Amino acid sequence: MKMFKISAIAIACMLVFGMTTLQPQEASAKKIVIRLAHPNVPQHPMGEGFAYFKELVERRSEGRIEVIHYHSSQFGNFDSVVQGLQTGMLQMGSASTPNLAPFSDAFLIFDMPFIIPSYEASDLITDGPIGRQATSALEGTGIFGLGYIEIGFRHLFNGRRAIQSLDDVQNLRIRSTASRAHISTLNHLGANPTPISWGEVFTALQQGTVDGIDIDLNLAWFNNFHEVQDNLTLVGSFYSPHLVMISEIFYKSLSPADQMLITEAFTEMKLFQRAKIRSNEEMILEEMRKKGVEIVRLDPEERARFQEATQAVIAEFEERVGKDLIEQARETVREYESQ
């Protein structure tokens, strides 16, 4: 059976104008259960966002739809989540874009260093044609992409020394993801990238297996990395989003009204979650200072050195990501900055 992928915006539009071809079943009085999996702890803005989604869906359905959370990777790793969505055992899930790269190299646009300079620019890219192009790769997989929430911008934490210039990065063992673009970026900065699974990161930092990690502020704070890392340099090398997905089997079983209810609740949750990520950051920086973390803000000239050092990464991956897609992202940023 041929599968179809539809973005959240397209879904909403087709439902409003009566154009959907999904032929959902008639609504019934039977209780509907949404099993939803994500990798973060409940107190992280992602956990708070999905709790808000649960509250919206259950209240608006008057309890007819129940949302059950599997937080902190309780459902399993990325492969488990994808398989759960495809079989209908799981109704919704969230995954980072590097994990989605096997579906399409277009997701690697988010692994290109310094290509997204601000949260405002990130909204234009994730919610616009670039984000939709990436999610279109899920067509035929049994999964729909609803849209993107976020983790934030990556910064450099380490327990060895304050990083005040590019020279200070040299030879530091920095934990990396398995993303080849991520590894290449750290190499071009002069670090020694060391891939370590997420579940082992805190212990590796604590024991000195690695000197540091590049990670966003919320993940660092809610995973207590400030307890084992006392230097933070605000670099903003990558913007990290998460794609929220829904099972096609499940979605097609819903009435048009319930499809609309879920997509609208997700859109509200998305805005709530992004706002929490962003508003938390100054609080986190202040709390980290109180706990003895030295925080360095790179001056514009030094940050430009970091950016220049990693331009070769974009050239290295432009064939895979697509030259047109990279230029489209740059043009989107230029248009925003010129306003």
Side-chain angles (χ1 to χ4, degrees), residues 83-310:
Q83 291 168 12
L85 291 169
Q86 290 174 325
T87 61
M89 293 179 62
L90 191 68
Q91 285 70 50
M92 291 180 65
S94 173
S96 65
T97 50
N99 280 330
L100 292 162
F103 287 107
S104 172
D105 286 337
F107 285 111
L108 290 174
I109 190 68
F110 300 107
D111 274 11
M112 297 297 97
F114 298 101
I115 203 164
I116 300 176
S118 66
Y119 281 121
E120 292 77 13
S122 76
D123 290 341
L124 296 174
I125 289 174
T126 55
D127 295 340
I130 294 172
R132 292 195 293 273
Q133 178 176 335
T135 58
S136 69
L138 297 177
E139 180 178 347
T141 67
I143 300 169
F144 296 154
L146 283 177
Y148 300 87
I149 55 177
E150 68 190 10
I151 295 294
F153 284 92
R154 288 181 177 267
H155 307 292
L156 281 171
F157 288 79
N158 86 97
R160 288 278 301 277
R161 55 179 175 261
I163 297 174
Q164 299 186 7
S165 71
L166 185 61
D167 300 332
D168 295 324
V169 182
Q170 306 310 299
N171 299 316
L172 286 177
R173 292 167 299 166
I174 302 296
R175 182 267 179 177
S176 73
T177 67
S179 163
R180 286 196 281 176
H182 188 191
I183 292 170
S184 181
T185 297
L186 290 173
N187 272 323
H188 280 86
L189 291 176
N192 293 325
T194 307
I196 294 176
S197 64
W198 177 248
E200 299 173 357
V201 169
F202 186 91
T203 301
L205 294 170
Q206 187 177 44
Q207 296 179 347
T209 305
V210 289
D211 298 316
I213 182 171
D214 73 328
I215 194 171
D216 68 284
L217 294 174
N218 279 271
L219 270 180
W221 176 252
F222 290 108
N223 286 279
N224 299 313
F225 287 171
H226 54 279
E227 295 178 0
V228 291
Q229 302 281 275
D230 54 7
N231 296 289
L232 163 62
T233 299
L234 301 177
V235 178
S237 52
F238 299 100
Y239 169 77
S240 299
H242 259 236
L243 181 66
V244 177
M245 301 168 289
I246 189 166
S247 165
E248 180 185 19
I249 294 171
F250 169 69
Y251 187 84
K252 290 172 67 174
S253 74
L254 299 173
S255 69
D258 284 343
Q259 290 174 354
M260 182 69 79
L261 186 155
I262 288 170
T263 56
E264 287 181 344
F266 166 73
T267 299
E268 291 185 39
M269 171 272 203
K270 174 186 73 175
L271 298 176
F272 169 87
Q273 191 270 347
R274 291 181 186 176
K276 289 288 291 185
I277 284 281
R278 301 169 192 189
S279 64
N280 274 358
E281 291 190 343
E282 284 306 317
M283 174 276 291
I284 290 169
L285 290 173
E286 181 59 30
E287 290 300 315
M288 284 188 173
R289 287 190 188 96
K290 291 178 182 178
K291 294 183 181 298
V293 176
E294 181 176 351
I295 299 171
V296 175
R297 293 183 184 270
L298 295 175
D299 62 41
E301 293 77 14
E302 194 59 41
R303 191 171 186 276
R305 288 186 67 203
F306 277 71
Q307 190 167 357
E308 182 178 356
T310 58

